[in-house]
Amino acid sequence: MAVCAAVVVPGAASAATEPPPKVTKGPCQYTETPEDPAARPVPLPRDPKRTPNRGTVKVDLPTSQGHLGLTLDRAKAPCTVQSFLHLAEHRFYDFTTCHRLTTYPTLKVLQCGDPKGNGEGGPGYKYKDELPTDLPNWPGDTTGTRKVYARGVLAMANAGPATNGSQFFLVYGDSRLLPNYTVFGSVDTRGLTTLDKVVAGGIQPTPDNPTPVDGTPVKTTKILRVHVPC
């Protein structure tokens, strides 16, 4: 694709000037990302002055491989839970495919939440981190910097600080990570059985790598219609 230089007329206002991104006025400050538009149309979440920060919310993600029962914890991550429920209620996750499975010795997760199915899609907004402070140290890590994201943890994927959007990951085996990923809930026993089934199917080989440890699951895991409480 050719790249053309812009022609600037001295003294003329730029017609290409764009308004600043929209930001909600509440404490979560969900921020529009014009440079990364929504993979599916969805408005910014509600952002009340007092974000609900108590109690849990049960959400059922039926998939083509079985159910994933989630418990969202408002106390751990109120803005994240609020955003997740917003996306679920707007059917953002319906009929999306969990696009990434990892089987590294220290990273065992299934990643979901991208309507594009390739890890590049999001909701057209981002918001702040709500990082965990109570994770145990990874055994043998004398620095204390790497933590245990334990089997059953539900956490947000991101592309750096304060870039949370729609993608999340489910931990099927204890994983070693820096505490840079918001934990906002857990996966129930039936959901872990579903995850184990997906993991047992392995990862799709590629021409360059017949035995990958990071890639598309062999067992396609499509989220169907998400059930959220009324």
Side-chain angles (χ1 to χ4, degrees), residues 1 8 39 52-53 56 70 74 80 84 89 108 121 125 157 164 172 195 209 212 220:
M1 180 176 67
V8 179
N53 61 0
T56 58
L70 309 179
R74 291 189 186 275
T80 302
F84 188 92
E89 289 163 357
K108 302 176 180 182
Y125 65 84
N164 300 290
Y172 68 85
L195 286 177
N209 189 351
T220 300

Side-chain angles (χ1 to χ4, degrees), residues 2-4 6 11 26 42 48 61 65 86 138 177 198 206 215 217-218 222 226:
V3 178
C4 299
V42 64
L61 269 62
Q65 299 298 334
H86 167 78
W138 184 264
L177 290 166
V198 175
T206 67
V218 169
K222 178 172 286 189
V226 179

